[in-house]
Amino acid sequence: DIAAYYNHFANHGISEHRTLGGFPAEKIVPGAAVAYSGGSSSSSSGGGGSSSSKPATKPADTTPAEQVTPTPVTPEPEKEPEKEPEKEPEVQKPTLEDVTVAKNGANTLMKIKNIPDGYTATEWTSSDNTVATVMAVADEEGVICGKITSASKTGTATITAKLVKDKDVITVTGTVTVVDATFVLDKTEIAVALDDATGVTLQATGAGDLSAAAVTWSTSDSTIASVNTTGKVVGLKAGVATITASATDGNGKAYTATCVVTVTDPYVALDKTALSIEVEDEVKLTATAVPVPAGGVAFSSAETDIINLTDDGKTATIKGLKAGNATVTATITVNGKQYVSKCNVTVSALTPTLEYEKTAIDMKLGDALTLTPKTQKPGSPNGTVTYSSNDPDIVSVGATSGILTAAKTGKTTIVAKLKDNKDKVLAQTIFNVKVNPSLDIVDSSDNSIPDGKKITVGAASTALKLTGGTGDVTWVSSNPAVATVDNNGNVTGVSAGNVDIIAKITFDGEEISEKVSLVVELPTLSVATQPVVPTTAGGGTLSTQPVINIVDQNNSSAVLTGFNSAVTVSLVGTDAGVCTLSGTTTVNAVNGVATFSDLVIRTSETDATKTVKLRFSCGDMTSVESGALLITAATAP
C-alpha cells in the first residue's frame, strides 16, 4: 500500500519527496494523511480521469507509543533558475565615408553608413570651400548622399552632414582629399620575347577620379606587339612598338600613359662571361632574360667539387672550393626551346698572405710591442713567421715572437717572412719603425709624474719640466680659461675644471709631444681663530671674534694672499632657530684673511643652554664651520 508506506515515513518524522505515478508527491508531514491516485492516468492535480482518496491506514506494527504530535511544515517554494539578462543588440553608429577626388574633378558621392530609421541627411557643409564643395543629392536607391560638386585645389576638407528626425539631430563628418589627377603605368619600357604567349602584363594606376576609371589599351603597331583589355602585351615580330593606356575622369578629361615595347628573340645573358677567384672567395653572377620565366632563370654547373653554386632565379652566388676550372650555365626555356648563357670560372689556390693592422709604427725609447699577423683564410698554406731587424741597435725583434724593443732613437725596418717547411718564403711584410725620445712631463719639485695632480686657483704656480727630449720646448694649455702655462712650464690655475698641459719638441724633422692632465680646484676656507661666546645669560658680543683664512686646497697652512673676496657668516646648528646673529656678517678678506670684529649671538630662551655654530662661506668655495658654541640660557623675567 503506497499510502501506508508514506505514512510509515511520516509517522517517524521523515520527510520524503518522491514521484508517484509520474507526478511529484508533496512533502510528507508526520501524522498527516496521504492522498494518492487510484490509477496511472489520473492525479489530484490534473488529468481527465476520476480520482479518489482515503485516510492512510496505520501499519499493523505501529503502537500508540509511537504516535507523535504532527508539526506543520511549510513547503519551501522551488526557486526558478536565474535568467541571464538579454544583451541588447549593438547599435551601429552612423558614419560618413572618406573619399579622394582628383583636382578639378567632381561628382564623387560621399555616403553615410548605418543611417537610423526615420533620419534624413538634408544639410551638408564643407570646412573649406576653396578645396571642395558639397551638396545633398539622392543616390540610385533614393538615399540622400553628399555630392562633391567641385574640387578646386589640392588639400583636405571636412564634410559635415546632419541627420534629422523631427527635432533630433545626429552630426557625422568625413574627409575629402583632393589630389592631382595622375595616371601611370608600372613600366615605361619592357622587352618581350617573340612568340611568347605568356607575354608581359602592364598595370595602370590612377589617382583621384581615375582610381576606378575604366582603362582602354592600344598598340602603335599591331604587327609587332598586341595588347588585350587587361594590359597583357605579346610580341609578334621583332621591332619596337608603343603601348598606350587611356582613361577618362568624371569631367570627361582624357589621360594617357605609354610604355615602349621591344620585341626580340628570347635570350638569357650573364653579366660576366669569365671570372677568376681564389678558394673560399665568393662572387655573384646576374642574369638578364627575355622573357623572365615564372620560376626565374635556372643556374647550373657540373663542377660541383670546384665551386659551390646557389641562386635566387636572377643572381647566382659562386664560392670557390678548390683549384680548377668550372662553367656556370644560365638557362631559360621558351616554347620548348632552351636558351643559355655561360661563364667560365677559374678557381686558384689561396695566395699566401702575411698581413698586419699597420706597417708604420711609432715607438718611444724603451717601449716594447708585439707584432701579430691577421688570421689567415681557411685553406691557406701553413708556414712559420720569422722576423729580423735591419738595425737591432735601434729596434731589436724576437726572431719568432715578433716582440719589438726600442733601444735607441732613430729609424729602421723590420721584415716579417712567412716560410714553408722547406724554408721557402711564401709572403713577407716590411715595417717602417721610428723610435722617438721617451718624453715625460714631471713636477720640477720632486720629478714625479703629475698626471691627475690637483692645483688650486690663486696658489703658487706649479713648475713642470720635460724630460727625455732635447731642443726648445713649446708649452700649451688645452683650456687657458681653466689654467695657463708659460714658456717655462709654470702652470697657474684660473678657474675650477680639468685641463691638459702639453709639451712639444721637434725630433727628426717632426713634432712630437707629451701631455699631463691636471685638476684645478677653488681655494677653501679655514678657521684661523675660533670664536668664543661670553658666559653671560642670553649670550652677547663674542669675546673672541673669528678670523678666516682663504687657503690652498692642498695645503691648509698656505694662505692665498691674492684673494680679497667677501666672506659671509651665518648661524647654523641645532638651536640656530632660537638664537640670533648680529653685527657685521660680511667682511672683505685682506691678503687672504677675513677678520670679523663685532659679531653678537643672543637667545631669549630661558629653559636651557643652546648650541650653535658659525658657518663661513665665500662664493663657490667650500664653506667651513666653527666649533660648537654654547649660549647660556636667558634670565627669566
Side-chain angles (χ1 to χ4, degrees):
D1 189 319
I2 295 174
Y5 174 80
Y6 272 84
N7 279 327
H8 171 75
F9 283 94
N11 290 331
H12 283 77
I14 302 172
S15 175
E16 285 287 323
H17 190 237
R18 300 285 180 89
T19 300
L20 302 178
F23 295 91
E26 299 294 325
K27 290 187 175 180
I28 306 302
V29 179
V34 176
Y36 66 95
S37 170
S40 62
S41 62
S42 64
S43 74
S44 61
S45 61
S50 63
S51 64
S52 64
S53 64
K54 64 179 180 177
T57 304
K58 175 182 158 184
D61 59 349
T62 303
T63 64
E66 293 174 303
Q67 296 291 336
V68 295
T69 302
T71 302
V73 178
T74 302
E76 297 180 0
E78 294 185 7
K79 295 183 178 179
E80 294 185 1
E82 295 183 359
K83 295 182 178 180
E84 293 185 3
E86 295 183 0
K87 294 183 178 180
E88 294 184 0
E90 186 176 349
V91 178
Q92 298 289 333
K93 294 181 179 180
T95 57
L96 178 58
E97 63 183 0
D98 298 332
V99 297
T100 299
V101 181
K103 182 180 177 181
N104 297 322
N107 304 321
T108 299
L109 296 182
M110 296 183 71
K111 297 184 178 183
I112 302 175
K113 297 180 180 178
N114 308 316
I115 299 178
D117 291 341
Y119 283 80
T120 303
T122 57
E123 184 178 338
W124 293 76
T125 57
S126 170
S127 65
D128 190 343
N129 288 326
T130 65
V131 174
T133 58
V134 64
M135 65 177 291
V137 297
D139 66 7
E140 62 275 6
E141 297 178 357
V143 178
I144 300 299
C145 303
K147 178 181 178 182
I148 303 302
T149 54
S150 67
S152 304
K153 71 177 183 179
T154 58
T156 60
T158 300
I159 302 300
T160 301
K162 290 184 178 180
L163 295 166
V164 180
K165 178 182 179 183
D166 298 329
K167 294 183 179 181
D168 293 334
V169 178
I170 301 174
T171 301
V172 292
T173 60
T175 301
V176 57
T177 302
V178 179
V179 298
D180 288 322
T182 57
F183 185 68
V184 296
L185 294 177
D186 60 336
K187 302 178 183 69
T188 57
E189 293 183 5
I190 59 172
V192 178
L194 185 63
D195 295 328
D196 175 26
T198 303
V200 176
T201 299
L202 298 174
Q203 299 290 334
T205 304
D209 286 357
L210 296 172
S211 60
V215 180
T216 58
W217 300 86
S218 61
T219 176
S220 64
D221 192 332
S222 58
T223 66
I224 294 176
S226 67
V227 61
N228 67 8
T229 57
T230 63
K232 177 181 174 180
V233 180
V234 175
L236 303 178
K237 74 174 183 180
V240 177
T242 299
I243 302 299
T244 301
S246 303
T248 303
D249 66 13
N251 293 324
K253 183 179 179 181
Y255 292 81
T256 60
T258 60
C259 176
V260 176
V261 179
T262 301
V263 181
T264 181
D265 288 329
Y267 72 90
V268 60
L270 292 170
D271 60 340
K272 302 179 185 72
T273 58
L275 57 88
S276 297
I277 59 174
E278 290 185 347
V279 173
E280 293 298 318
D281 279 350
E282 287 187 352
V283 68
K284 294 184 182 296
L285 278 176
T286 300
T288 302
V290 176
V292 178
V297 175
F299 291 86
S300 63
S301 175
E303 297 78 19
T304 56
D305 59 330
I306 295 175
I307 61 171
N308 180 65
L309 180 65
T310 58
D311 72 271
D312 60 6
K314 181 178 181 180
T315 301
T317 301
I318 302 165
K319 181 177 181 179
L321 301 179
K322 72 175 185 180
N325 296 313
T327 300
V328 175
T329 302
T331 305
I332 63 170
T333 302
V334 181
N335 296 329
K337 183 179 179 181
Q338 287 190 338
Y339 299 84
V340 300
S341 179
K342 296 184 178 183
C343 176
N344 297 317
V345 182
T346 300
V347 182
S348 57
L350 282 174
T351 301
T353 60
L354 187 58
E355 298 178 345
Y356 294 79
E357 289 296 332
K358 60 181 181 179
T359 56
I361 300 173
D362 280 357
M363 301 180 69
K364 287 184 179 181
L365 187 64
D367 282 354
L369 62 84
T370 302
L371 299 175
T372 303
K374 292 182 180 180
T375 303
Q376 296 283 339
K377 290 182 180 179
S380 296
N382 294 323
T384 301
V385 180
T386 60
Y387 299 90
S388 61
S389 172
N390 284 348
D391 192 339
D393 290 339
I394 296 175
V395 178
S396 61
V397 61
T400 57
S401 66
I403 298 175
L404 304 181
T405 303
K408 186 175 70 172
T409 59
K411 296 179 180 178
T412 188
T413 56
I414 302 295
V415 180
K417 295 181 179 180
L418 175 64
K419 297 181 180 181
D420 63 13
N421 56 7
K422 296 181 180 180
D423 208 34
K424 178 183 177 181
V425 176
L426 303 175
Q428 73 174 26
T429 299
I430 298 176
F431 302 88
N432 295 307
V433 183
K434 178 184 177 183
V435 179
N436 295 316
S438 180
L439 302 180
D440 283 311
I441 297 176
V442 299
D443 193 319
S444 297
S445 63
D446 56 9
N447 287 326
S448 63
I449 304 294
D451 204 43
K453 181 176 180 176
K454 296 179 179 180
I455 64 174
T456 303
V457 175
S461 297
T462 299
L464 303 179
K465 65 180 180 181
L466 182 68
T467 64
T470 59
D472 295 334
V473 180
T474 300
W475 293 92
V476 178
S477 168
S478 65
N479 191 350
V482 173
T484 60
V485 59
D486 65 16
N487 293 334
N488 296 316
N490 297 312
V491 181
T492 303
V494 177
S495 64
N498 298 316
V499 66
D500 290 335
I501 302 300
I502 305 159
K504 302 178 181 180
I505 64 170
T506 300
F507 173 75
D508 197 21
E510 296 180 3
E511 183 180 84
I512 59 175
S513 63
E514 183 63 21
K515 72 176 182 179
V516 292
S517 297
L518 303 178
V519 179
V520 182
E521 299 177 323
L522 292 175
T524 188
L525 302 180
S526 173
V527 181
T529 301
Q530 289 285 347
V532 177
V533 179
T535 58
T536 55
T541 301
L542 301 185
S543 55
T544 302
Q545 295 288 330
V547 177
I548 306 302
N549 290 340
I550 300 174
V551 299
D552 188 335
Q553 284 253 22
N554 303 304
N555 182 3
S556 59
S557 63
V559 178
L560 303 181
T561 58
F563 279 88
N564 298 311
S565 307
V567 178
T568 299
V569 61
S570 59
L571 204 59
V572 295
T574 306
D575 299 318
V578 294
C579 297
T580 60
L581 173 66
S582 60
T584 306
T585 56
T586 299
V587 299
N588 290 326
V590 178
N591 296 327
V593 179
T595 303
F596 292 85
S597 59
D598 59 355
L599 297 179
V600 178
I601 302 177
R602 295 188 185 279
T603 183
S604 59
E605 298 292 310
T606 61
D607 56 342
T609 298
K610 304 304 175 185
T611 302
V612 296
K613 292 182 179 181
L614 293 180
R615 176 178 293 164
F616 302 92
S617 57
C618 179
D620 293 331
M621 299 180 194
T622 303
S623 61
V624 67
E625 294 180 359
S626 69
L629 303 175
L630 303 179
I631 313 300
T632 305
T635 302

